[in-house]
Amino acid sequence: SAVISQKPSRDICQRGTSLTIQCQVDSQVTMMFWYRQQPGQSLTLIATANQGSEATYESGFVIDKFPISRPNLTFSTLTVSNMSPEDSSIYLCSVSGGGNEQYFGPGTRLTVT
Amino acid sequence: DAKTTQPPSMDCAEGRAANLPCNHSTISGNEYVYWYRQIHSQGPQYIIHGLKNNETNEMASLIITEDRKSSTLILPHATLRDTAVYYCIVRVKGSSNTGKLIFGQGTTLQVKP
Protein backbone atom coordinates (compact mmCIF):
# COMPACT_ATOMS: atom_id res chain seq x y z
CA SER A 1 0.00 0.00 0.00
CA ALA A 2 0.99 3.64 -0.38
CA VAL A 3 1.03 6.26 2.35
CA ILE A 4 -0.07 9.67 1.14
CA SER A 5 0.16 12.96 2.96
CA GLN A 6 -1.36 16.28 1.99
CA LYS A 7 -0.63 19.84 3.01
CA PRO A 8 -2.37 21.84 4.24
CA SER A 9 -4.97 19.69 5.93
CA ARG A 10 -7.37 22.61 5.90
CA ASP A 11 -7.42 26.29 5.06
CA ILE A 12 -9.74 29.25 4.97
CA CYS A 13 -9.09 31.58 2.07
CA GLN A 14 -10.52 34.79 0.70
CA ARG A 15 -12.18 34.91 -2.67
CA GLY A 16 -9.91 35.90 -5.52
CA THR A 17 -6.81 34.33 -3.98
CA SER A 18 -5.10 31.04 -4.87
CA LEU A 19 -4.11 28.04 -2.79
CA THR A 20 -1.56 25.37 -3.65
CA ILE A 21 -2.14 21.92 -2.20
CA GLN A 22 0.75 19.50 -1.89
CA CYS A 23 0.59 15.73 -2.16
CA GLN A 24 3.49 13.52 -1.09
CA VAL A 25 3.65 9.74 -1.56
CA ASP A 26 6.02 7.40 0.24
CA SER A 27 6.87 5.45 -2.93
CA GLN A 28 7.37 6.19 -6.60
CA VAL A 29 4.18 6.07 -8.63
CA THR A 30 3.46 6.70 -12.27
CA MET A 31 0.02 8.24 -12.06
CA MET A 32 -1.47 10.56 -9.47
CA PHE A 33 -5.06 11.72 -9.43
CA TRP A 34 -6.74 14.80 -8.01
CA TYR A 35 -10.36 14.69 -6.85
CA ARG A 36 -12.79 17.24 -5.49
CA GLN A 37 -15.55 16.48 -3.01
CA GLN A 38 -18.05 19.27 -2.59
CA PRO A 39 -20.07 19.42 0.64
CA GLY A 40 -22.41 16.45 0.93
CA GLN A 41 -21.40 15.12 -2.47
CA SER A 42 -19.40 12.27 -3.89
CA LEU A 43 -15.92 12.54 -5.34
CA THR A 44 -15.31 14.04 -8.76
CA LEU A 45 -12.09 13.48 -10.66
CA ILE A 46 -10.38 16.74 -11.59
CA ALA A 47 -7.32 15.49 -13.46
CA THR A 48 -4.71 12.80 -13.87
CA ALA A 49 -1.08 13.78 -13.45
CA ASN A 50 1.78 11.83 -14.96
CA GLN A 51 5.36 12.70 -14.24
CA GLY A 52 6.99 14.53 -17.11
CA SER A 53 3.84 15.33 -19.05
CA GLU A 54 0.90 17.70 -18.95
CA ALA A 55 -1.98 16.73 -16.71
CA THR A 56 -5.13 15.38 -18.33
CA TYR A 57 -8.23 17.25 -17.19
CA GLU A 58 -11.77 15.93 -16.96
CA SER A 59 -14.72 17.66 -18.53
CA GLY A 60 -15.58 20.81 -16.62
CA PHE A 61 -12.08 21.38 -15.25
CA VAL A 62 -9.46 23.55 -16.93
CA ILE A 63 -5.77 24.10 -16.44
CA ASP A 64 -6.11 27.84 -15.85
CA LYS A 65 -8.33 27.21 -12.85
CA PHE A 66 -6.60 24.08 -11.50
CA PRO A 67 -2.95 24.07 -12.60
CA ILE A 68 -1.11 20.89 -11.60
CA SER A 69 2.57 20.19 -11.26
CA ARG A 70 4.22 16.77 -11.16
CA PRO A 71 7.94 17.35 -10.79
CA ASN A 72 8.86 13.79 -9.77
CA LEU A 73 7.41 10.38 -9.05
CA THR A 74 6.52 11.05 -5.41
CA PHE A 75 5.10 14.56 -5.42
CA SER A 76 2.38 16.67 -7.02
CA THR A 77 0.67 19.99 -6.41
CA LEU A 78 -2.79 21.24 -7.27
CA THR A 79 -3.47 24.97 -7.29
CA VAL A 80 -6.98 26.31 -6.94
CA SER A 81 -6.81 29.70 -8.64
CA ASN A 82 -8.94 32.84 -8.29
CA MET A 83 -11.09 31.13 -5.70
CA SER A 84 -14.78 31.68 -5.18
CA PRO A 85 -17.07 30.25 -2.47
CA GLU A 86 -18.11 27.53 -4.95
CA ASP A 87 -14.58 26.14 -4.69
CA SER A 88 -15.15 25.25 -1.04
CA SER A 89 -14.55 21.50 -1.05
CA ILE A 90 -12.32 18.74 0.10
CA TYR A 91 -9.50 18.14 -2.37
CA LEU A 92 -7.95 14.68 -2.41
CA CYS A 93 -5.03 13.16 -4.20
CA SER A 94 -4.72 9.48 -4.93
CA VAL A 95 -2.32 7.03 -6.52
CA SER A 96 -2.70 3.66 -8.14
CA GLY A 97 -1.44 0.56 -6.42
CA GLY A 98 0.05 -2.48 -8.07
CA GLY A 99 -3.19 -4.44 -7.83
CA ASN A 100 -5.40 -1.89 -9.62
CA GLU A 101 -6.58 -0.39 -6.35
CA GLN A 102 -6.18 3.30 -5.56
CA TYR A 103 -4.97 4.86 -2.35
CA PHE A 104 -6.20 8.23 -1.20
CA GLY A 105 -4.70 10.96 0.88
CA PRO A 106 -6.52 12.41 3.89
CA GLY A 107 -7.74 15.39 1.90
CA THR A 108 -7.44 19.17 2.15
CA ARG A 109 -10.54 20.92 3.42
CA LEU A 110 -10.84 24.31 1.74
CA THR A 111 -13.27 27.01 2.76
CA VAL A 112 -13.51 30.14 0.63
CA THR A 113 -15.06 33.21 2.19
CA ASP B 1 -18.58 4.04 -18.93
CA ALA B 2 -20.63 1.58 -16.92
CA LYS B 3 -22.74 3.20 -14.21
CA THR B 4 -23.61 1.75 -10.84
CA THR B 5 -26.77 1.92 -8.77
CA GLN B 6 -26.75 1.58 -5.01
CA PRO B 7 -29.36 2.14 -2.32
CA PRO B 8 -28.73 5.51 -0.66
CA SER B 9 -28.71 4.14 2.86
CA MET B 10 -28.81 0.96 4.93
CA ASP B 11 -28.80 0.03 8.59
CA CYS B 12 -27.13 -2.97 10.14
CA ALA B 13 -26.98 -4.28 13.71
CA GLU B 14 -23.54 -4.52 15.24
CA GLY B 15 -22.13 -8.03 14.97
CA ARG B 16 -24.38 -8.98 12.10
CA ALA B 17 -23.42 -9.30 8.46
CA ALA B 18 -23.88 -6.22 6.31
CA ASN B 19 -24.82 -6.98 2.70
CA LEU B 20 -24.47 -4.00 0.39
CA PRO B 21 -25.90 -4.46 -3.12
CA CYS B 22 -24.79 -2.79 -6.33
CA ASN B 23 -26.22 -2.93 -9.84
CA HIS B 24 -23.94 -2.43 -12.84
CA SER B 25 -25.99 -3.81 -15.71
CA THR B 26 -23.96 -2.10 -18.44
CA ILE B 27 -20.56 -3.37 -17.29
CA SER B 28 -18.30 -4.51 -20.09
CA GLY B 29 -16.17 -7.62 -20.14
CA ASN B 30 -12.87 -6.03 -19.16
CA GLU B 31 -14.19 -3.81 -16.38
CA TYR B 32 -13.62 -4.63 -12.74
CA VAL B 33 -15.95 -3.96 -9.81
CA TYR B 34 -14.29 -2.03 -7.00
CA TRP B 35 -15.53 -1.22 -3.54
CA TYR B 36 -14.30 1.68 -1.46
CA ARG B 37 -15.56 3.23 1.70
CA GLN B 38 -15.24 6.69 3.16
CA ILE B 39 -15.44 7.17 6.86
CA HIS B 40 -16.48 10.66 7.84
CA SER B 41 -13.81 13.29 7.20
CA GLN B 42 -11.30 10.79 5.82
CA GLY B 43 -10.10 9.88 2.34
CA PRO B 44 -11.70 6.85 0.67
CA GLN B 45 -10.30 3.46 1.62
CA TYR B 46 -9.94 0.58 -0.81
CA ILE B 47 -11.84 -2.54 0.29
CA ILE B 48 -11.84 -5.14 -2.45
CA HIS B 49 -12.23 -5.64 -6.19
CA GLY B 50 -13.10 -8.44 -8.60
CA LEU B 51 -13.67 -9.25 -12.25
CA LYS B 52 -15.96 -12.30 -12.34
CA ASN B 53 -15.04 -14.61 -9.48
CA ASN B 54 -16.04 -14.11 -5.88
CA GLU B 55 -13.29 -12.56 -3.80
CA THR B 56 -12.53 -12.46 -0.09
CA ASN B 57 -9.95 -10.60 1.94
CA GLU B 58 -9.48 -9.63 5.56
CA MET B 59 -12.02 -6.85 5.28
CA ALA B 60 -14.87 -8.23 3.22
CA SER B 61 -16.22 -10.60 0.60
CA LEU B 62 -17.36 -9.65 -2.86
CA ILE B 63 -20.00 -11.73 -4.60
CA ILE B 64 -20.45 -11.05 -8.33
CA THR B 65 -23.37 -12.60 -10.17
CA GLU B 66 -22.65 -14.89 -13.08
CA ASP B 67 -23.91 -12.35 -15.61
CA ARG B 68 -21.79 -9.68 -13.84
CA LYS B 69 -24.70 -7.26 -13.79
CA SER B 70 -24.73 -6.95 -10.03
CA SER B 71 -22.61 -7.58 -6.99
CA THR B 72 -22.83 -7.64 -3.20
CA LEU B 73 -20.24 -6.52 -0.70
CA ILE B 74 -20.43 -8.49 2.52
CA LEU B 75 -18.99 -7.29 5.82
CA PRO B 76 -19.30 -10.51 7.84
CA HIS B 77 -19.41 -9.02 11.34
CA ALA B 78 -20.15 -5.32 11.17
CA THR B 79 -18.80 -3.07 13.92
CA LEU B 80 -19.57 0.54 14.75
CA ARG B 81 -16.33 1.50 12.99
CA ASP B 82 -17.77 0.20 9.74
CA THR B 83 -20.22 3.09 9.64
CA ALA B 84 -19.29 4.86 6.42
CA VAL B 85 -20.31 5.64 2.86
CA TYR B 86 -19.64 2.62 0.64
CA TYR B 87 -18.95 3.17 -3.02
CA CYS B 88 -19.35 0.54 -5.72
CA ILE B 89 -17.29 1.59 -8.72
CA VAL B 90 -16.68 0.11 -12.11
CA ARG B 91 -13.17 0.78 -13.30
CA VAL B 92 -13.18 2.62 -16.58
CA LYS B 93 -10.39 2.82 -19.09
CA GLY B 94 -10.04 6.22 -20.70
CA SER B 95 -8.22 7.03 -23.92
CA SER B 96 -4.98 7.20 -21.95
CA ASN B 97 -5.79 3.94 -20.18
CA THR B 98 -5.52 5.63 -16.80
CA GLY B 99 -7.93 3.33 -14.99
CA LYS B 100 -9.56 6.34 -13.36
CA LEU B 101 -12.40 5.83 -10.92
CA ILE B 102 -15.85 7.40 -11.34
CA PHE B 103 -17.66 7.68 -8.00
CA GLY B 104 -21.43 7.50 -7.66
CA GLN B 105 -23.37 8.59 -4.59
CA GLY B 106 -22.71 5.39 -2.66
CA THR B 107 -24.59 3.76 0.20
CA THR B 108 -24.43 5.22 3.67
CA LEU B 109 -24.18 2.27 6.04
CA GLN B 110 -25.14 2.95 9.63
CA VAL B 111 -24.11 0.21 12.04
CA LYS B 112 -26.20 0.37 15.18
CA PRO B 113 -25.42 -1.05 18.61
Side-chain angles (χ1 to χ4, degrees), chain B residues 30-103:
Chain B
N30 62 348
E31 290 180 314
Y32 290 74
V33 180
Y34 286 79
W35 283 84
Y36 287 78
R37 72 180 182 184
Q38 187 174 25
I39 297 171
H40 183 63
S41 297
Q42 297 183 20
Q45 176 190 23
Y46 165 80
I47 301 173
I48 198 168
H49 75 279
L51 182 62
K52 59 176 71 174
N53 297 320
N54 298 338
E55 302 288 344
T56 295
N57 63 19
E58 65 278 4
M59 291 182 67
S61 294
L62 174 60
I63 308 299
I64 303 174
T65 58
E66 191 169 345
D67 63 8
R68 302 210 325 124
K69 293 184 177 182
S70 65
S71 61
T72 301
L73 178 75
I74 301 172
L75 307 179
H77 305 287
T79 71
L80 298 179
R81 289 178 295 180
D82 292 321
T83 292
V85 179
Y86 287 77
Y87 296 101
C88 168
I89 301 165
V90 174
R91 182 175 184 246
V92 299
K93 289 181 184 292
S95 59
S96 60
N97 198 28
T98 62
K100 61 190 179 186
L101 300 179
I102 306 299
F103 285 81

Side-chain angles (χ1 to χ4, degrees), chain B residues 11-17 77-81 110-113:
Chain B
D11 290 343
C12 178
E14 188 178 20
R16 305 298 291 269
H77 305 287
T79 71
L80 298 179
R81 289 178 295 180
Q110 181 72 48
V111 180
K112 299 185 174 181

